[in-house]
Amino acid sequence: MLGDALADATSPEVPDALDRYASRRLSTATNVRAGSARAGEDHHLPEGPEAQARNARMAAYATVRSLAQMTRPAVADLPTVDLPTCRPADLPTNR
C-alpha cells in the first residue's frame, strides 16, 4: 500500500501521499481491531441463547465451506500442461 501511495508522487506531493496512506491504514487497522474485538466476544460467550446462536452460525459456515471444498476439482483431476523450460541463458539481459 505504501508503494502504491508513493508510486507516482513527485517530491512536493510526498507529504500528501503519506497523509492519504496513513488515513487508509488507520481506517483498515480500526476495522481489523473492531472485528477482532467482536470475534473475541463472540467466541467467549457464556452458555445460553447467544452461544447457541453462535454455534448454529459456525456449524452452518462449516457445512457451506465443506460443501464448497467437496465440489472443487481435486488437483489430480486437473489437466496437466507442459510448460517450456526456461534457462538463464534464455532470459533477456539489460546490457
Side-chain angles (χ1 to χ4, degrees), residues 69-89:
Q69 289 175 344
M70 289 188 317
T71 59
R72 272 194 310 218
V75 173
D77 297 336
L78 295 176
T80 58
V81 178
D82 290 325
L83 298 175
T85 303
C86 183
R87 299 177 308 251

Side-chain angles (χ1 to χ4, degrees), residues 3-87:
D4 293 338
L6 297 174
D8 298 322
T10 62
S11 289
E13 296 169 335
V14 167
D16 288 337
L18 289 173
D19 286 343
R20 285 191 301 277
Y21 167 77
S23 176
R24 281 194 302 252
R25 289 295 302 139
L26 179 61
S27 173
T28 300
T30 300
N31 290 337
V32 168
R33 183 183 175 283
S36 178
R38 280 191 305 274
E41 292 168 2
D42 196 39
H43 289 273
H44 297 284
L45 290 172
E47 287 300 319
E50 290 179 346
Q52 291 170 349
R54 176 215 45 219
N55 295 346
R57 282 193 314 273
M58 293 175 89
Y61 175 78
T63 301
V64 169
R65 188 173 170 125
S66 67
L67 287 174
Q69 289 175 344
M70 289 188 317
T71 59
R72 272 194 310 218
V75 173
D77 297 336
L78 295 176
T80 58
V81 178
D82 290 325
L83 298 175
T85 303
C86 183
R87 299 177 308 251

